[in-house]
């Protein structure tokens, strides 16, 4: 199966890039299933029902979340009507799930959403949750497993890869909005510390510069806003899974000026 992952759709500009490019990418690269992180999709904070329907219409099959999952109350109803996840290591009492299994290209695919600990809301242990969930999926006969690990610390993301390498098909990090240059395949597990945002690329993590710069200069916090105009980027990882292993992978950076950059994942022997 060939799956794709898009991280951190930020506001209307991120959604516009999906509208413009995603169906073309799916067709050109014969993609079977698309996962995208929704947590910043509605003006940078959370996900509205309107925007959820919009993102699905552009060709996204499953949406994963993070620390901004709960920013909009209406997200709770979406767990009953849409293919969306919240971090699986939230306590069981919290609505929704962070793990779903899908039929893709005549095989089973599990999508698992986890959240890290450093600078994040309180949750259960991400590493124990991951280990226990992956082991349970293997018992159920599910071999192809993809993880969106929503975390601030690169050490946590790398630690998750070291824990699960060879046991899952892919682990890609989200949350920092800044793409890293370490796309690799180790023991059949695709890994990228952070895929980076889809949205504005000429400011600070997809947000207008004024508030974060003021905070850096003065220590006074304010509300972050999406710029009215900006230069945009779509970042998408495309991976080939077979019998639980990733055989090949590459990442596309698509700019709104027509430039596309492709980076192949390197394979560790």
């Amino acid at each position: 199966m060939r799956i794709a992952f898009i991280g951190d759709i930020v506001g209307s500009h991120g959604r516009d890039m999906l509208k413009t490019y995603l169906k073309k990418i799916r067709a050109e690269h014969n993609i079977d299933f698309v996962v995208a992180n929704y947590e910043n999709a509605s003006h940078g904070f959370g996900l509205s029902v309107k925007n959820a329907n919009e993102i699905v219409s552009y060709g996204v099959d499953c949406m994963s979340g993070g620390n901004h999952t709960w920013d909009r109350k209406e997200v709770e109803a979406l767990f009953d009507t849409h293919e969306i996840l919240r971090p699986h290591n939230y306590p069981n009492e919290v609505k929704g799930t962070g793990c779903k299994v899908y039929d893709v290209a005549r095989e089973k695919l599990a999508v698992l959403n986890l959240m890290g600990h450093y600078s994040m809301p309180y949750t259960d242990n991400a590493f124990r949750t991951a280990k226990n969930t992956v082991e349970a999926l293997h018992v159920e006969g599910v071999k192809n497993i993809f993880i969106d690990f929503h975390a601030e610390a690169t050490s946590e993301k790398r630690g998750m890869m070291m824990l699960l390498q060879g046991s899952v098909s892919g682990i890609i990090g989200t949350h920092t909005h800044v793409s890293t240059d370490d796309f690799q395949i180790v023991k059949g597990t695709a890994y990228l510390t952070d895929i980076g945002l889809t949205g504005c690329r000429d400011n600070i993590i997809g947000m207008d510069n004024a508030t974060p710069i003021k905070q850096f200069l003065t220590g006074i916090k304010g509300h972050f806003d999406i710029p009215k105009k900006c230069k945009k980027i779509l970042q998408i990882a495309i991976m080939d899974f077979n019998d639980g292993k990733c055989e090949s992978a590459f990442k596309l950076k698509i700019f709104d000026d027509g430039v596309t950059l492709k980076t192949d994942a390197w394979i560790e022997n």
Side-chain angles (χ1 to χ4, degrees):
M1 68 175 70
R2 173 166 279 191
I3 83 159
F5 180 60
I6 301 164
D8 299 288
I9 303 164
V10 182
S12 59
H13 300 299
R15 301 195 310 271
D16 286 346
M17 291 298 283
L18 295 187
K19 180 179 181 180
T20 302
Y21 293 104
L22 184 54
K23 288 184 179 178
K24 296 176 184 177
I25 296 169
R26 286 195 72 143
E28 181 179 350
H29 295 283
N30 299 308
I31 296 168
D32 298 306
F33 195 84
V34 176
V35 183
N37 188 292
Y38 66 80
E39 76 141 17
N40 301 119
S42 295
H43 205 69
F45 299 92
L47 179 69
S48 68
V49 173
K50 176 178 179 290
N51 294 154
N53 291 330
E54 186 181 347
I55 290 168
V56 170
S57 74
Y58 299 151
V60 172
D61 299 295
C62 171
M63 288 181 275
S64 52
N67 57 299
H68 288 296
T69 288
W70 312 105
D71 284 4
R72 294 172 186 266
K73 185 70 174 177
E74 59 194 293
V75 74
E76 293 190 11
L78 290 172
F79 290 117
D80 298 323
T81 59
H82 290 65
E83 295 301 320
I84 76 166
L85 305 173
R86 47 79 171 166
H88 203 47
N89 52 319
Y90 271 106
N92 291 333
E93 294 81 3
V94 174
K95 187 166 185 178
T97 180
C99 184
K100 288 191 176 186
V101 179
Y102 299 93
D103 292 310
V104 179
R106 299 177 297 280
E107 294 186 70
K108 296 291 185 182
L109 169 69
V111 181
L112 175 58
N113 186 192
L114 297 164
M115 187 164 68
H117 298 289
Y118 177 74
S119 81
M120 293 296 206
Y122 180 81
T123 55
D124 294 338
N125 187 291
F127 297 89
R128 289 186 178 275
T129 301
K131 185 174 182 293
N132 293 338
T133 305
V134 168
E135 289 175 353
L137 288 167
H138 286 168
V139 169
E140 294 171 10
V142 180
K143 297 180 180 179
N144 300 298
I145 302 170
F146 173 74
I147 298 174
D148 170 4
F149 189 24
H150 196 80
E152 178 79 25
T154 57
S155 57
E156 289 184 354
K157 296 175 184 179
R158 184 73 182 176
M160 188 66 74
M161 190 276 282
M162 299 304 292
L163 174 69
L164 297 177
Q165 59 183 333
S167 298
V168 301
S169 311
I171 304 169
I172 294 183
T174 54
H175 180 66
T176 71
H177 295 197
V178 178
S179 63
T180 57
D181 187 26
D182 59 345
F183 203 9
Q184 59 196 269
I185 300 172
V186 183
K187 297 181 180 179
T189 299
Y191 172 75
L192 179 61
T193 298
D194 203 296
I195 190 169
L197 65 80
T198 287
C200 293
R201 59 183 170 88
D202 58 345
N203 39 54
I204 300 173
I205 64 170
M207 303 292 185
D208 185 77
N209 295 329
T211 297
I213 288 177
K214 179 180 178 181
Q215 181 175 329
F216 293 139
L217 289 171
T218 67
I220 304 300
K221 294 184 178 181
H223 181 74
F224 284 26
D225 290 305
I226 303 292
K228 290 183 172 59
K229 294 182 179 181
C230 66
K231 296 178 180 179
K232 307 170 193 175
I233 189 171
L234 187 156
Q235 304 191 72
I236 181 169
I238 299 173
M239 298 160 282
D240 293 312
F241 294 169
N242 181 29
D243 198 32
K245 304 295 184 183
C246 182
E247 296 181 330
S248 62
F250 60 93
K251 179 184 172 183
L252 299 177
K253 289 184 177 181
I254 300 171
F255 299 84
D256 57 346
D257 59 5
V259 173
T260 297
L261 301 179
K262 179 185 177 185
T263 304
D264 292 317
W266 75 82
I267 300 176
E268 293 279 4
N269 296 317

